Amino acid sequence: MKLYLKVWRQEHRDSKGGMISYEVDGISEHMSFLEMLDLLNERLIQKGERVIEFDHDCREGICGACGMMINGRAHGPLTGTTTCQLHMRSFNDGETVYIEPFRATAFPVLRDLKIDRSAFDHIIQSGGYISASTGQAPESNSIPIAHEVTEAAFDAAACIGCGACVATCKNSSAALFTSAKISHLVLLPQGKLESADRVVSMVNQMDTEGFGHCSNTEACEVECPQEISVLHIGRMNYEYNKALALRK
Amino acid sequence: MIDAKIPAGDLADKWNNYKDSSKLINPANRKKLDIIVVGTGLAGSSCAATLAEQGYNVKSFCFQDSARRAHSVAAQGGVNAAKNYKNDGDSVYRMFYDTIKGGDFRSREANVYRLAECSLALIDQAVAQGVPFAREYGGYLNNRSFGGVQVSRTFYARGQTGQQLMIGAYQALMRQVSAGKVKTYTRHEMLDLVLIDGKARGIIARNLETGEIERHVANAVVLATGGYGKVYYLSTLAMGCNSSAIWRAHKKGAFMSGVSWIQFHPTCLPQIGETQSKLTLMSESLRNDGRIWVPKKAGDERVPNDIPEEERDYYLERRYPTFGNLSPRDISSRAAKERIDAGCGVGPMKNAVCLDFSKAIREQGRDKIEEKYGNLFRMYDKINGVDAYKEPMLISPAAHFTMGGLWVDYDLMTTIPGLFALGEANFSDHGANRLGANSLLQSCVDGYFIAPYTIPNYLSGELKAEKVTTDHPAFIDAENNVREQLNRFLNLKGHLSADHFHKTLGKLLYDKCGLSRTRKSLEEAIVEIRSLKKSFDHELKITGDEGVNSELEKAGRVSDFLELGELMCHDALQREESCGAHFREEYQTPDGEAVRNDKDFCYVSAWEWKGEAVEPELHKEPLVFETVKLTVRSYK
């Protein structure tokens, strides 16, 4: 099949970017979306042009490196899917496809579709962990945890940190990402002890990084490749208010 | 002769003896010591975090945009530990024995015993960090079985065990960043190792955003940069996985071992086209409930569901009745290749076998199967557009894990003093074949529990060492070499992309140094790789500049893969026996089983770099078995 691409090209963090058109033919429906870009890049090299830069690594939907806005949707038309797991059978011959980076103040563009997501690292650094140094752990079966509790914690811990939630939110909020971490850790008995300081610190860090407030539109859940629930945001708000109310 | 420095004492006491007598550094002095850790996968993150907790200053490097994305995330099935929670006869000794046997008696007893011993503490540590391992309804941890063993010792977090352990290690690392004890350098790639007075004292790294070449000095350097299975291009590995850090250390004097021992994972998605970039892994845990078969008749054109039961060949159950579908990976992969080569393969390219869940769904119900493997079935559907609850998955062996890597002693130190190699980057624990769920284990154990003892033991001798700065001539030289190579790549006026060379090399290695090898195929491969390297040096074409440039990154990695590929062939050629994943067609029984030669090859091959297109020099570390008896490895 043949596609007409409009791709965001930008030289550096501070330079002005724009949409550039490309025609790509010879696409097979079995190709992944990124393999289609590989094909285009191979042809750009042959023409002596700089390739389209994009982040990607595992290409099996788990590392969270890839991510772009495809026809205005984070990770493209499917739900519960990362860009690398999107295949060309989801597109029609002759279609025009718009490809842009995930956009947010807190995610500056480095070049083309590559962005800087270190703001997520900073949020985790502000408290997204359980303080258990190597050597301190008790025997692992000494604290039984109900099956359902572990499963619920897992659902939250499944976040891959791709940033689709931020990119799709009209306020560029990191509420889904942050709340998933808060839920993961507060549900487990090991993580309860630090929960008050954690939630306050992480929520403040979101603001510091330049993410907006939750827009309550639930758009993030729709685009999340791991289908993380917005109910975690509710839990984050509850934990945050509880922490402030009980603060000495 | 190279010395592994195995501690004295009974097998079960060696590690305790080591810990009791290793040298310590007082907390005030730890602040004066800097350690570079390259790689932020399970081994790198856990090592960096643990050393920082102890009080050392750590610089952590990764090429990804965040430490959390290292390829450890992709491990699905689980992590082994000899907890014996299932009360099914497991013990540290039994886990040690399974691992030694699984590795076809080509690993060190002392290392493997230590791995099994430390497995207990790892589960405790991970649970304390909040890793949501599967639990039974009573709240206690659950286990499942993996290939090559008869007990249930695999802990798992759905099909994302690697991701969840990685998040635990990443969060521990982030905690130390916030404590000011770790500084992270993301989007940085190590391009050379700096030696001063024969010791590892720093690295040259390229900032992948700005293109800046940076010098970093330290008292010790740790490489936890993962495996090099991506040398085959089509593999289960991430696109960025590479051998550059270990290969450049090799060229600076660190020996490489077990280089050709590459595990082909039996349950991957088959190749379906020429533009494919990846052979996705489907967890081995699927073999707990899935049955593997091919049509009995060669060239059967029917779709799998139309082939009646009596015309199916469940070849693993037939050939290995004791272990059946849970036979170890090397054996399962070879058996698949044997059937595919015999013309019984299925799928559009006739290069796959069936992994069938119909019996399990009939017996346990779809819900149960969905709970266990739901995400894997979803992934299969996403990639292929096929519902595996209704028809069998098509799977095929793919390059996966490298048992080989930098040679290390019992301290995980390479032949360069002060240079340590952890996790898949070293060669140490898996012998000629790794058992499922031992990879996550080894990387974690190396990083959390071993290196944090052995690195201080080395550093205690470095407290009084001369201070060096990045102005030292060795740093200037190394930086100049790196710049020269990058400039050469950018100025080449060729016409072929780095991917072109990578794919050509990969295909060549699959054919001639893959699941099976012969003297002839290996000798041919060496000649062909050398000529491919020559062509690469002249005909490569890189566009773009020295800023963000993924083609420039690839060029360096492919250049290293070409040299490494040649060493793989030398290693496979020299070892005239079949062991584990290394199957030389000349050495097999009439029914196709591997024939090991303990008389002539019971040693670790450690290769020394002698220059480009020059034969490498072989050093031997004899393998001494004091506890186990070498037997023919049988799963029949």
PDB file of all heavy atoms in Angstrom, chain B residues 313 445 465 634:
ATOM      1  N   ASP B 313       2.388 -34.444  15.159  1.00  0.00           N
ATOM      2  CA  ASP B 313       3.579 -34.992  15.800  1.00  0.00           C
ATOM      3  C   ASP B 313       3.970 -34.074  16.964  1.00  0.00           C
ATOM      4  O   ASP B 313       4.508 -32.989  16.746  1.00  0.00           O
ATOM      5  CB  ASP B 313       4.715 -35.080  14.764  1.00  0.00           C
ATOM      6  CG  ASP B 313       6.029 -35.545  15.385  1.00  0.00           C
ATOM      7  OD1 ASP B 313       5.993 -36.053  16.534  1.00  0.00           O
ATOM      8  OD2 ASP B 313       7.069 -35.402  14.721  1.00  0.00           O
ATOM      9  N   VAL B 445      21.199 -10.802  41.216  1.00  0.00           N
ATOM     10  CA  VAL B 445      22.128 -11.295  42.238  1.00  0.00           C
ATOM     11  C   VAL B 445      23.496 -10.635  42.058  1.00  0.00           C
ATOM     12  O   VAL B 445      24.124 -10.194  43.030  1.00  0.00           O
ATOM     13  CB  VAL B 445      22.208 -12.839  42.164  1.00  0.00           C
ATOM     14  CG1 VAL B 445      23.454 -13.351  42.863  1.00  0.00           C
ATOM     15  CG2 VAL B 445      20.962 -13.448  42.785  1.00  0.00           C
ATOM     16  N   ALA B 465      45.775   4.884  46.038  1.00  0.00           N
ATOM     17  CA  ALA B 465      46.259   5.016  44.659  1.00  0.00           C
ATOM     18  C   ALA B 465      46.359   6.480  44.267  1.00  0.00           C
ATOM     19  O   ALA B 465      45.690   7.342  44.842  1.00  0.00           O
ATOM     20  CB  ALA B 465      45.318   4.286  43.707  1.00  0.00           C
ATOM     21  N   SER B 634      20.671 -35.672  29.908  1.00  0.00           N
ATOM     22  CA  SER B 634      19.537 -36.293  29.233  1.00  0.00           C
ATOM     23  C   SER B 634      18.219 -35.794  29.817  1.00  0.00           C
ATOM     24  O   SER B 634      18.081 -35.649  31.032  1.00  0.00           O
ATOM     25  CB  SER B 634      19.614 -37.807  29.383  1.00  0.00           C
ATOM     26  OG  SER B 634      18.399 -38.373  28.934  1.00  0.00           O
TER      27      SER B 634
END
